[in-house]
Amino acid sequence: MNNSDLADHLSSATGSSKADAKKIVDTVFAAIADAAAKGEEISLNGFGKFKVKASAEREGRNPSTGATITIAASKKLSFTPAKAVKDKLNG
């Protein structure tokens, strides 16, 4: 499922136009991305939590040459599903 499929599903479920549903989907994802960029935790009841996690700088190897390289520190967005979602996935 992609953004367009989600907007189609939303428009048919609510009776709104596809253009309005697409705006809503885009706005929701933009709000999640903005909150994550600020380092905030996004908690969606019954669905799960998005958290920003820091990954420290570390050493790695270039697979082609075997040379040691430094992998820069970065931030990652992780998702932890809620119990209801886990139960739905596991039948």
Side-chain angles (χ1 to χ4, degrees), residues 3-26:
N3 290 11
S4 295
D5 295 337
L6 189 57
D8 290 344
H9 182 76
L10 183 62
S11 71
S12 65
T14 61
S16 63
S17 71
K18 289 184 181 182
D20 288 342
K22 181 160 177 29
K23 286 179 191 175
I24 292 168
V25 169
D26 291 342

Side-chain angles (χ1 to χ4, degrees), residues 1-90:
M1 179 177 271
N2 59 29
N3 290 11
S4 295
D5 295 337
L6 189 57
D8 290 344
H9 182 76
L10 183 62
S11 71
S12 65
T14 61
S16 63
S17 71
K18 289 184 181 182
D20 288 342
K22 181 160 177 29
K23 286 179 191 175
I24 292 168
V25 169
D26 291 342
T27 303
V28 167
F29 288 131
I32 291 171
D34 290 344
K38 294 177 188 172
E40 297 175 8
E41 180 179 293
I42 300 97
S43 180
L44 305 172
N45 290 339
F47 186 68
K49 290 182 182 180
F50 292 94
K51 295 180 187 176
V52 177
K53 293 187 177 181
S55 175
E57 184 177 278
R58 62 194 188 279
E59 284 190 1
R61 295 215 175 261
N62 181 333
S64 313
T65 64
T68 301
I69 58 171
T70 301
I71 301 170
S74 63
K75 294 180 183 177
K76 296 178 178 21
L77 187 64
S78 68
F79 175 74
T80 304
K83 185 179 183 320
V85 174
K86 287 182 191 176
D87 291 345
K88 197 169 205 173
L89 290 173
N90 295 312

